[in-house]
Amino acid sequence: LLIIYFNIQNRSLNTDYLTQTYNRRQLDGYIKDKIRTSSKSASFSAILIDLNDFKNINDKFGHDIGDEALKASAQIILTSLKRNDFLARYGGDEFMAILNVGDETLLEQTVKRIHQNVEKFNLENANPYSLNFAIGYAVYEPESKMTADDFFKNIDQLMYDAKRQYQLLRNDNKFF
């Protein structure tokens, strides 16, 4: 019973309560370990996903619906990943996936799958909102000697570039 109790405690310390994905604490340790053990033949990649217009969902429909949108986002991302991939809630409406993929083409296929699954969700569900993700992604290059913080900053910048592109399209009324 004590072992079960410790396992439950450990899981609650490392899991985001709302989305049931890993939390930032677990992500930080995981990424540092991935960097430490990466090599040219065994690299990995990361995807940072931000839920566009999340504040509008909360403001327009309430925080309960906002929570549903976060849970749905986590499920969409999880169904787009492989079983051994790692997903954590990075921040409020951001998620980070770590993949055992060192190939840009395979990484882009996963990103495409995420976009396809969110489109499918929007078409098939009768929610009062639709979901849209800004996504930044990169393969970790071991020879770069990037720290975890540097790698996060790089992917964060790529995600914000995607978010700016979304905002430009939206402001030009080309998106809607």
Side-chain angles (χ1 to χ4, degrees), residues 66-80:
D67 287 351
E68 286 179 26
L70 287 171
K71 291 177 195 175
S73 296
Q75 279 308 120
I76 290 166
I77 299 164
L78 280 169
T79 61
S80 304

Side-chain angles (χ1 to χ4, degrees), residues 124-173:
E124 293 179 355
N125 289 286
N127 295 308
Y129 60 87
S130 61
L131 297 176
N132 186 290
F133 298 150
I135 300 177
Y137 56 95
V139 172
Y140 182 80
E141 303 293 340
E143 59 274 1
S144 73
K145 303 291 186 205
M146 267 192 209
T147 65
D149 287 339
D150 292 337
F151 191 52
F152 282 155
K153 286 176 188 173
N154 179 48
I155 295 172
D156 195 46
Q157 183 60 54
L158 294 169
M159 187 273 301
Y160 274 108
D161 291 346
K163 194 166 198 63
R164 273 191 290 283
Q165 187 70 14
Y166 167 80
Q167 292 298 333
L168 287 172
L169 289 172
R170 185 168 178 233
N171 291 341
D172 289 342
N173 290 322

Side-chain angles (χ1 to χ4, degrees), residues 85-133:
D85 293 335
F86 178 96
L87 181 64
R89 187 167 174 197
Y90 185 67
D93 63 342
E94 295 176 336
F95 295 89
M96 184 170 279
I98 308 296
L99 289 66
N100 293 317
V101 170
D103 178 86
E104 186 82 23
T105 303
L106 293 174
L107 174 59
E108 288 173 355
Q109 288 173 358
T110 302
V111 171
K112 184 177 180 180
R113 212 170 28 252
I114 293 169
H115 282 300
Q116 289 170 337
N117 285 337
V118 77
E119 286 176 26
K120 181 179 176 187
F121 172 86
N122 288 332
L123 289 172
E124 293 179 355
N125 289 286
N127 295 308
Y129 60 87
S130 61
L131 297 176
N132 186 290
F133 298 150

